PDB file of all heavy atoms in Angstrom:
ATOM      1  N   ARG A   1      15.652  13.267 -13.872  1.00 97.00           N
ATOM      2  CA  ARG A   1      15.164  11.913 -14.135  1.00 97.00           C
ATOM      3  C   ARG A   1      13.646  11.883 -13.993  1.00 97.00           C
ATOM      4  O   ARG A   1      13.056  12.735 -13.341  1.00 97.00           O
ATOM      5  CB  ARG A   1      15.810  10.915 -13.183  1.00 97.00           C
ATOM      6  CG  ARG A   1      15.714  11.272 -11.712  1.00 97.00           C
ATOM      7  CD  ARG A   1      16.754  10.480 -10.925  1.00 97.00           C
ATOM      8  NE  ARG A   1      16.768  10.764  -9.502  1.00 97.00           N
ATOM      9  CZ  ARG A   1      17.453  11.762  -8.954  1.00 97.00           C
ATOM     10  NH1 ARG A   1      18.114  12.619  -9.726  1.00 97.00           N
ATOM     11  NH2 ARG A   1      17.462  11.927  -7.646  1.00 97.00           N
ATOM     12  N   ALA A   2      13.054  10.900 -14.613  1.00 98.00           N
ATOM     13  CA  ALA A   2      11.598  10.804 -14.620  1.00 98.00           C
ATOM     14  C   ALA A   2      11.055  10.545 -13.217  1.00 98.00           C
ATOM     15  O   ALA A   2      11.646   9.787 -12.444  1.00 98.00           O
ATOM     16  CB  ALA A   2      11.162   9.684 -15.557  1.00 98.00           C
ATOM     17  N   TYR A   3       9.945  11.187 -12.915  1.00 98.00           N
ATOM     18  CA  TYR A   3       9.231  10.892 -11.676  1.00 98.00           C
ATOM     19  C   TYR A   3       8.788   9.437 -11.725  1.00 98.00           C
ATOM     20  O   TYR A   3       8.218   8.978 -12.712  1.00 98.00           O
ATOM     21  CB  TYR A   3       8.006  11.795 -11.549  1.00 98.00           C
ATOM     22  CG  TYR A   3       7.288  11.681 -10.216  1.00 98.00           C
ATOM     23  CD1 TYR A   3       7.425  12.676  -9.256  1.00 98.00           C
ATOM     24  CD2 TYR A   3       6.475  10.584  -9.919  1.00 98.00           C
ATOM     25  CE1 TYR A   3       6.769  12.583  -8.037  1.00 98.00           C
ATOM     26  CE2 TYR A   3       5.829  10.485  -8.704  1.00 98.00           C
ATOM     27  CZ  TYR A   3       5.976  11.486  -7.764  1.00 98.00           C
ATOM     28  OH  TYR A   3       5.328  11.385  -6.553  1.00 98.00           O
ATOM     29  N   GLN A   4       9.045   8.717 -10.658  1.00 97.00           N
ATOM     30  CA  GLN A   4       8.659   7.310 -10.596  1.00 97.00           C
ATOM     31  C   GLN A   4       7.695   7.092  -9.439  1.00 97.00           C
ATOM     32  O   GLN A   4       8.074   7.193  -8.272  1.00 97.00           O
ATOM     33  CB  GLN A   4       9.892   6.412 -10.445  1.00 97.00           C
ATOM     34  CG  GLN A   4      10.786   6.438 -11.669  1.00 97.00           C
ATOM     35  CD  GLN A   4      11.883   5.389 -11.623  1.00 97.00           C
ATOM     36  OE1 GLN A   4      12.126   4.759 -10.611  1.00 97.00           O
ATOM     37  NE2 GLN A   4      12.541   5.208 -12.754  1.00 97.00           N
ATOM     38  N   ALA A   5       6.444   6.823  -9.787  1.00 98.00           N
ATOM     39  CA  ALA A   5       5.429   6.514  -8.773  1.00 98.00           C
ATOM     40  C   ALA A   5       5.482   5.029  -8.446  1.00 98.00           C
ATOM     41  O   ALA A   5       5.737   4.192  -9.319  1.00 98.00           O
ATOM     42  CB  ALA A   5       4.046   6.885  -9.297  1.00 98.00           C
ATOM     43  N   ILE A   6       5.239   4.700  -7.201  1.00 98.00           N
ATOM     44  CA  ILE A   6       5.266   3.308  -6.799  1.00 98.00           C
ATOM     45  C   ILE A   6       4.044   2.571  -7.336  1.00 98.00           C
ATOM     46  O   ILE A   6       2.962   3.156  -7.497  1.00 98.00           O
ATOM     47  CB  ILE A   6       5.348   3.176  -5.259  1.00 98.00           C
ATOM     48  CG1 ILE A   6       5.732   1.748  -4.865  1.00 98.00           C
ATOM     49  CG2 ILE A   6       4.036   3.605  -4.605  1.00 98.00           C
ATOM     50  CD1 ILE A   6       6.171   1.606  -3.442  1.00 98.00           C
ATOM     51  N   ASP A   7       4.207   1.325  -7.647  1.00 97.00           N
ATOM     52  CA  ASP A   7       3.091   0.463  -8.029  1.00 97.00           C
ATOM     53  C   ASP A   7       2.355   0.069  -6.744  1.00 97.00           C
ATOM     54  O   ASP A   7       2.933  -0.597  -5.877  1.00 97.00           O
ATOM     55  CB  ASP A   7       3.629  -0.781  -8.738  1.00 97.00           C
ATOM     56  CG  ASP A   7       2.525  -1.746  -9.149  1.00 97.00           C
ATOM     57  OD1 ASP A   7       1.362  -1.528  -8.782  1.00 97.00           O
ATOM     58  OD2 ASP A   7       2.858  -2.746  -9.817  1.00 97.00           O
ATOM     59  N   PRO A   8       1.090   0.487  -6.579  1.00 97.00           N
ATOM     60  CA  PRO A   8       0.384   0.191  -5.329  1.00 97.00           C
ATOM     61  C   PRO A   8       0.309  -1.291  -4.985  1.00 97.00           C
ATOM     62  O   PRO A   8       0.214  -1.651  -3.797  1.00 97.00           O
ATOM     63  CB  PRO A   8      -1.015   0.780  -5.563  1.00 97.00           C
ATOM     64  CG  PRO A   8      -0.797   1.863  -6.565  1.00 97.00           C
ATOM     65  CD  PRO A   8       0.280   1.337  -7.468  1.00 97.00           C
ATOM     66  N   THR A   9       0.377  -2.168  -5.984  1.00 96.00           N
ATOM     67  CA  THR A   9       0.305  -3.600  -5.679  1.00 96.00           C
ATOM     68  C   THR A   9       1.522  -4.075  -4.888  1.00 96.00           C
ATOM     69  O   THR A   9       1.483  -5.139  -4.263  1.00 96.00           O
ATOM     70  CB  THR A   9       0.181  -4.430  -6.970  1.00 96.00           C
ATOM     71  OG1 THR A   9       1.347  -4.236  -7.780  1.00 96.00           O
ATOM     72  CG2 THR A   9      -1.058  -4.012  -7.759  1.00 96.00           C
ATOM     73  N   ARG A  10       2.595  -3.290  -4.912  1.00 97.00           N
ATOM     74  CA  ARG A  10       3.794  -3.652  -4.166  1.00 97.00           C
ATOM     75  C   ARG A  10       3.670  -3.344  -2.675  1.00 97.00           C
ATOM     76  O   ARG A  10       4.549  -3.726  -1.892  1.00 97.00           O
ATOM     77  CB  ARG A  10       5.010  -2.914  -4.730  1.00 97.00           C
ATOM     78  CG  ARG A  10       5.405  -3.327  -6.137  1.00 97.00           C
ATOM     79  CD  ARG A  10       6.528  -2.457  -6.651  1.00 97.00           C
ATOM     80  NE  ARG A  10       7.638  -2.368  -5.703  1.00 97.00           N
ATOM     81  CZ  ARG A  10       8.577  -1.424  -5.717  1.00 97.00           C
ATOM     82  NH1 ARG A  10       8.535  -0.491  -6.643  1.00 97.00           N
ATOM     83  NH2 ARG A  10       9.547  -1.428  -4.831  1.00 97.00           N
ATOM     84  N   LEU A  11       2.601  -2.668  -2.277  1.00 98.00           N
ATOM     85  CA  LEU A  11       2.478  -2.218  -0.893  1.00 98.00           C
ATOM     86  C   LEU A  11       1.805  -3.250   0.017  1.00 98.00           C
ATOM     87  O   LEU A  11       1.722  -3.040   1.234  1.00 98.00           O
ATOM     88  CB  LEU A  11       1.708  -0.894  -0.839  1.00 98.00           C
ATOM     89  CG  LEU A  11       2.366   0.259  -1.607  1.00 98.00           C
ATOM     90  CD1 LEU A  11       1.500   1.516  -1.541  1.00 98.00           C
ATOM     91  CD2 LEU A  11       3.761   0.550  -1.067  1.00 98.00           C
ATOM     92  N   SER A  12       1.301  -4.318  -0.555  1.00 97.00           N
ATOM     93  CA  SER A  12       0.763  -5.458   0.223  1.00 97.00           C
ATOM     94  C   SER A  12      -0.340  -5.054   1.196  1.00 97.00           C
ATOM     95  O   SER A  12      -0.357  -5.469   2.356  1.00 97.00           O
ATOM     96  CB  SER A  12       1.905  -6.144   0.995  1.00 97.00           C
ATOM     97  OG  SER A  12       2.907  -6.588   0.112  1.00 97.00           O
ATOM     98  N   LEU A  13      -1.269  -4.241   0.699  1.00 98.00           N
ATOM     99  CA  LEU A  13      -2.405  -3.850   1.542  1.00 98.00           C
ATOM    100  C   LEU A  13      -3.722  -4.453   1.050  1.00 98.00           C
ATOM    101  O   LEU A  13      -4.777  -4.171   1.614  1.00 98.00           O
ATOM    102  CB  LEU A  13      -2.546  -2.319   1.574  1.00 98.00           C
ATOM    103  CG  LEU A  13      -1.400  -1.538   2.217  1.00 98.00           C
ATOM    104  CD1 LEU A  13      -1.741  -0.057   2.255  1.00 98.00           C
ATOM    105  CD2 LEU A  13      -1.094  -2.045   3.622  1.00 98.00           C
ATOM    106  N   ALA A  14      -3.677  -5.300   0.030  1.00 96.00           N
ATOM    107  CA  ALA A  14      -4.904  -5.892  -0.497  1.00 96.00           C
ATOM    108  C   ALA A  14      -5.348  -7.057   0.385  1.00 96.00           C
ATOM    109  O   ALA A  14      -4.563  -7.638   1.137  1.00 96.00           O
ATOM    110  CB  ALA A  14      -4.672  -6.384  -1.927  1.00 96.00           C
ATOM    111  N   GLY A  15      -6.664  -7.357   0.292  1.00 95.00           N
ATOM    112  CA  GLY A  15      -7.192  -8.538   0.966  1.00 95.00           C
ATOM    113  C   GLY A  15      -7.834  -8.285   2.312  1.00 95.00           C
ATOM    114  O   GLY A  15      -8.335  -9.225   2.942  1.00 95.00           O
ATOM    115  N   TYR A  16      -7.850  -7.051   2.763  1.00 95.00           N
ATOM    116  CA  TYR A  16      -8.507  -6.720   4.031  1.00 95.00           C
ATOM    117  C   TYR A  16      -9.926  -6.228   3.755  1.00 95.00           C
ATOM    118  O   TYR A  16     -10.177  -5.501   2.789  1.00 95.00           O
ATOM    119  CB  TYR A  16      -7.710  -5.652   4.781  1.00 95.00           C
ATOM    120  CG  TYR A  16      -6.345  -6.132   5.240  1.00 95.00           C
ATOM    121  CD1 TYR A  16      -5.201  -5.870   4.472  1.00 95.00           C
ATOM    122  CD2 TYR A  16      -6.201  -6.861   6.411  1.00 95.00           C
ATOM    123  CE1 TYR A  16      -3.950  -6.315   4.874  1.00 95.00           C
ATOM    124  CE2 TYR A  16      -4.953  -7.311   6.822  1.00 95.00           C
ATOM    125  CZ  TYR A  16      -3.838  -7.030   6.049  1.00 95.00           C
ATOM    126  OH  TYR A  16      -2.596  -7.477   6.453  1.00 95.00           O
ATOM    127  N   ASP A  17     -10.847  -6.613   4.625  1.00 91.00           N
ATOM    128  CA  ASP A  17     -12.243  -6.221   4.439  1.00 91.00           C
ATOM    129  C   ASP A  17     -12.456  -4.734   4.684  1.00 91.00           C
ATOM    130  O   ASP A  17     -13.411  -4.145   4.172  1.00 91.00           O
ATOM    131  CB  ASP A  17     -13.150  -7.020   5.384  1.00 91.00           C
ATOM    132  CG  ASP A  17     -13.192  -8.495   5.027  1.00 91.00           C
ATOM    133  OD1 ASP A  17     -12.962  -8.816   3.840  1.00 91.00           O
ATOM    134  OD2 ASP A  17     -13.441  -9.316   5.934  1.00 91.00           O
ATOM    135  N   ASP A  18     -11.575  -4.149   5.474  1.00 93.00           N
ATOM    136  CA  ASP A  18     -11.749  -2.756   5.876  1.00 93.00           C
ATOM    137  C   ASP A  18     -10.366  -2.140   6.059  1.00 93.00           C
ATOM    138  O   ASP A  18      -9.437  -2.813   6.506  1.00 93.00           O
ATOM    139  CB  ASP A  18     -12.551  -2.686   7.186  1.00 93.00           C
ATOM    140  CG  ASP A  18     -12.828  -1.261   7.620  1.00 93.00           C
ATOM    141  OD1 ASP A  18     -13.841  -0.701   7.172  1.00 93.00           O
ATOM    142  OD2 ASP A  18     -12.023  -0.707   8.393  1.00 93.00           O
ATOM    143  N   PHE A  19     -10.220  -0.863   5.726  1.00 97.00           N
ATOM    144  CA  PHE A  19      -8.927  -0.207   5.880  1.00 97.00           C
ATOM    145  C   PHE A  19      -8.439  -0.274   7.321  1.00 97.00           C
ATOM    146  O   PHE A  19      -7.240  -0.407   7.578  1.00 97.00           O
ATOM    147  CB  PHE A  19      -9.020   1.257   5.435  1.00 97.00           C
ATOM    148  CG  PHE A  19      -7.687   1.945   5.287  1.00 97.00           C
ATOM    149  CD1 PHE A  19      -6.982   1.877   4.093  1.00 97.00           C
ATOM    150  CD2 PHE A  19      -7.143   2.667   6.340  1.00 97.00           C
ATOM    151  CE1 PHE A  19      -5.746   2.497   3.961  1.00 97.00           C
ATOM    152  CE2 PHE A  19      -5.915   3.294   6.211  1.00 97.00           C
ATOM    153  CZ  PHE A  19      -5.212   3.212   5.015  1.00 97.00           C
ATOM    154  N   HIS A  20      -9.371  -0.209   8.251  1.00 96.00           N
ATOM    155  CA  HIS A  20      -8.998  -0.206   9.668  1.00 96.00           C
ATOM    156  C   HIS A  20      -8.594  -1.591  10.163  1.00 96.00           C
ATOM    157  O   HIS A  20      -8.093  -1.723  11.283  1.00 96.00           O
ATOM    158  CB  HIS A  20     -10.149   0.361  10.506  1.00 96.00           C
ATOM    159  CG  HIS A  20     -10.488   1.771  10.113  1.00 96.00           C
ATOM    160  ND1 HIS A  20      -9.740   2.858  10.492  1.00 96.00           N
ATOM    161  CD2 HIS A  20     -11.498   2.259   9.337  1.00 96.00           C
ATOM    162  CE1 HIS A  20     -10.260   3.961   9.977  1.00 96.00           C
ATOM    163  NE2 HIS A  20     -11.334   3.617   9.273  1.00 96.00           N
ATOM    164  N   ALA A  21      -8.790  -2.609   9.334  1.00 97.00           N
ATOM    165  CA  ALA A  21      -8.336  -3.954   9.701  1.00 97.00           C
ATOM    166  C   ALA A  21      -6.862  -4.176   9.354  1.00 97.00           C
ATOM    167  O   ALA A  21      -6.271  -5.181   9.765  1.00 97.00           O
ATOM    168  CB  ALA A  21      -9.191  -5.000   8.986  1.00 97.00           C
ATOM    169  N   ILE A  22      -6.289  -3.243   8.622  1.00 98.00           N
ATOM    170  CA  ILE A  22      -4.873  -3.378   8.259  1.00 98.00           C
ATOM    171  C   ILE A  22      -4.026  -3.202   9.520  1.00 98.00           C
ATOM    172  O   ILE A  22      -4.158  -2.197  10.225  1.00 98.00           O
ATOM    173  CB  ILE A  22      -4.478  -2.319   7.214  1.00 98.00           C
ATOM    174  CG1 ILE A  22      -5.312  -2.494   5.934  1.00 98.00           C
ATOM    175  CG2 ILE A  22      -2.992  -2.399   6.893  1.00 98.00           C
ATOM    176  CD1 ILE A  22      -5.124  -1.371   4.933  1.00 98.00           C
ATOM    177  N   PRO A  23      -3.159  -4.129   9.836  1.00 98.00           N
ATOM    178  CA  PRO A  23      -2.304  -3.980  11.026  1.00 98.00           C
ATOM    179  C   PRO A  23      -1.393  -2.751  10.906  1.00 98.00           C
ATOM    180  O   PRO A  23      -0.993  -2.361   9.810  1.00 98.00           O
ATOM    181  CB  PRO A  23      -1.474  -5.265  11.039  1.00 98.00           C
ATOM    182  CG  PRO A  23      -2.256  -6.235  10.196  1.00 98.00           C
ATOM    183  CD  PRO A  23      -2.942  -5.418   9.158  1.00 98.00           C
ATOM    184  N   ASP A  24      -1.082  -2.159  12.050  1.00 98.00           N
ATOM    185  CA  ASP A  24      -0.201  -0.988  12.048  1.00 98.00           C
ATOM    186  C   ASP A  24       1.116  -1.280  11.340  1.00 98.00           C
ATOM    187  O   ASP A  24       1.613  -0.452  10.564  1.00 98.00           O
ATOM    188  CB  ASP A  24       0.086  -0.542  13.492  1.00 98.00           C
ATOM    189  CG  ASP A  24      -1.094   0.187  14.122  1.00 98.00           C
ATOM    190  OD1 ASP A  24      -2.050   0.522  13.393  1.00 98.00           O
ATOM    191  OD2 ASP A  24      -1.033   0.425  15.342  1.00 98.00           O
ATOM    192  N   ALA A  25       1.684  -2.432  11.593  1.00 98.00           N
ATOM    193  CA  ALA A  25       2.980  -2.759  11.000  1.00 98.00           C
ATOM    194  C   ALA A  25       2.898  -2.799   9.475  1.00 98.00           C
ATOM    195  O   ALA A  25       3.819  -2.337   8.776  1.00 98.00           O
ATOM    196  CB  ALA A  25       3.490  -4.090  11.533  1.00 98.00           C
ATOM    197  N   SER A  26       1.793  -3.316   8.941  1.00 98.00           N
ATOM    198  CA  SER A  26       1.631  -3.382   7.485  1.00 98.00           C
ATOM    199  C   SER A  26       1.432  -1.987   6.900  1.00 98.00           C
ATOM    200  O   SER A  26       1.980  -1.659   5.835  1.00 98.00           O
ATOM    201  CB  SER A  26       0.445  -4.283   7.133  1.00 98.00           C
ATOM    202  OG  SER A  26       0.666  -5.603   7.563  1.00 98.00           O
TER     203      SER A  26
END
């Protein structure tokens, strides 16, 4: 079957000013 890459927009990591501001749980 075809390799299926995830759509990054589904990961809900947008909107943070800095990568290190992303909560561990997210």
Side-chain angles (χ1 to χ4, degrees):
R1 52 198 179 274
Y3 187 104
Q4 293 189 349
I6 194 165
D7 179 353
T9 62
R10 293 175 50 199
L11 300 178
S12 302
L13 295 184
Y16 294 96
D17 293 334
D18 183 87
F19 192 87
H20 300 283
I22 299 172
D24 284 350
S26 297

